[in-house]
Amino acid sequence: MRGLTPLPLLAGAVALSLGGCVDIYRGAIVQLNLRAATRSAPGEHYELFAEVNGGLVSLAKYKVFENVADCGADPATTPPVQLVQRYDDGADRAALCAGNRTLGAIDRTDLAAASLVGGVRLDTPVDLSQATRLIISLETDGDSDPRPAQVLLGADLAPGRAPYAQIAVDCAAAFCAAADPAGPAYAQLCGDNAPTLPRARRGVRVGEFLVEPVPADLCLAATAGQVAVVPADDDTFL
C-alpha cells in the first residue's frame, strides 16, 4: 500500500486539565453508497480504512448479509436487501444480524417505488478533515494484523468534488469524439447523456470508489460507488 503504515485509532476526545474547559470532539460522518458487494463468506469480513497524514487508520469492520437468507427476515413481507452489519471478532450470526449493528444497505433499485434505495452511514471519532483516501479490504475473521489484507476498492478524496469526476468527464469526451454518432453507444454515453461535473459540495470531502487494482489507463477503471466525508466538531462544556 505505497509504503503506508497503520495508525492507532485516534481518541475521540482530548485530555482535559482538572480545572475543566471546552472539549473539542473532532470526528466525522462517513456516507457510503456502494452499487454492489459480494455477500460475506464464512470466516471473512470487510474493513474500511482511511489514509490520514500518510498512515492508515481503521474506521469500521463489517459483514454483508442477505436479510432473508442470512438473517431470517420473512420473504413474504420483506424485500430482499444486502445488509451492512458491524462486525466484532467472536460475535455469532444472531448477534451480527441484530438491528443495532446495521450500518445500512448496499444500493438496490426498488422496482415497486421506482427508486434507488440503500446507503451506509458511519459515525467515527476519527478526525478525517485531512483524509486523502478511503479503502475497503477483505479480511479474515480474527486476524490481528492491523494492515489491509486484500484491497478491493479505493477512493481518493478531495474537498467538494471527487478527484475522479474530472477524469470521468474527460474520458467520456474522448470516447464521444471518436465514436460513431449513429451507433448505440453514442446515444447511451454521449450528447445529453454524457457525464458532467457534479456541483461542488462545500464542507464535504468526496470520492469515487474504483475497483482495485486500478488499470494504468483510468478510462478503463471500474467504478463501484461514492463516498462523502463530513468532518464534525462538537463543543462539549464540562
Side-chain angles (χ1 to χ4, degrees), residues 28-109:
I29 300 168
V30 182
Q31 177 71 45
L32 309 174
N33 284 91
L34 300 174
R35 288 191 286 273
T38 301
R39 175 184 177 190
S40 292
E44 293 181 341
H45 64 275
Y46 298 100
E47 189 163 2
L48 176 67
F49 292 87
E51 181 180 326
V52 185
N53 297 325
L56 286 179
V57 56
S58 176
L59 301 181
K61 297 178 181 181
Y62 64 90
K63 286 180 179 277
V64 174
F65 288 143
E66 302 287 349
N67 61 332
V68 174
D70 296 319
C71 293
D74 185 353
T77 59
T78 306
V81 174
Q82 284 187 298
L83 297 172
V84 176
Q85 300 290 113
R86 180 173 52 82
Y87 167 74
D88 294 319
D89 289 338
D92 61 18
R93 177 62 60 85
L96 292 173
C97 284
N100 61 359
R101 289 181 178 265
T102 301
L103 301 175
I106 304 302
D107 289 2
R108 70 177 182 87
T109 301

Side-chain angles (χ1 to χ4, degrees), residues 99-182:
N100 61 359
R101 289 181 178 265
T102 301
L103 301 175
I106 304 302
D107 289 2
R108 70 177 182 87
T109 301
D110 187 336
L111 297 178
S115 63
L116 183 67
V117 297
V120 177
R121 172 176 167 146
L122 173 67
D123 295 275
T124 173
V126 180
D127 181 357
L128 298 179
S129 59
Q130 302 301 314
T132 56
R133 181 173 171 81
L134 293 184
I135 66 172
I136 294 176
S137 66
L138 182 64
E139 306 287 333
T140 300
D141 293 355
D143 183 8
S144 59
D145 189 335
R147 297 170 297 180
Q150 179 184 349
V151 176
L152 303 178
L153 303 176
D156 290 330
L157 302 176
R161 185 182 289 128
Y164 188 74
Q166 184 64 61
I167 296 173
V169 170
D170 294 343
C171 290
F175 170 82
C176 293
D180 179 1

Side-chain angles (χ1 to χ4, degrees), residues 144-224:
S144 59
D145 189 335
R147 297 170 297 180
Q150 179 184 349
V151 176
L152 303 178
L153 303 176
D156 290 330
L157 302 176
R161 185 182 289 128
Y164 188 74
Q166 184 64 61
I167 296 173
V169 170
D170 294 343
C171 290
F175 170 82
C176 293
D180 179 1
Y186 191 94
Q188 294 175 359
L189 303 173
C190 305
D192 292 340
N193 292 326
T196 58
L197 280 179
R199 178 177 61 86
R201 301 171 61 184
R202 184 177 178 182
V204 180
R205 301 186 69 78
V206 186
E208 180 89 15
F209 277 111
L210 304 182
V211 177
E212 296 278 354
V214 178
D217 183 354
L218 290 179
C219 291
L220 301 178
T223 61

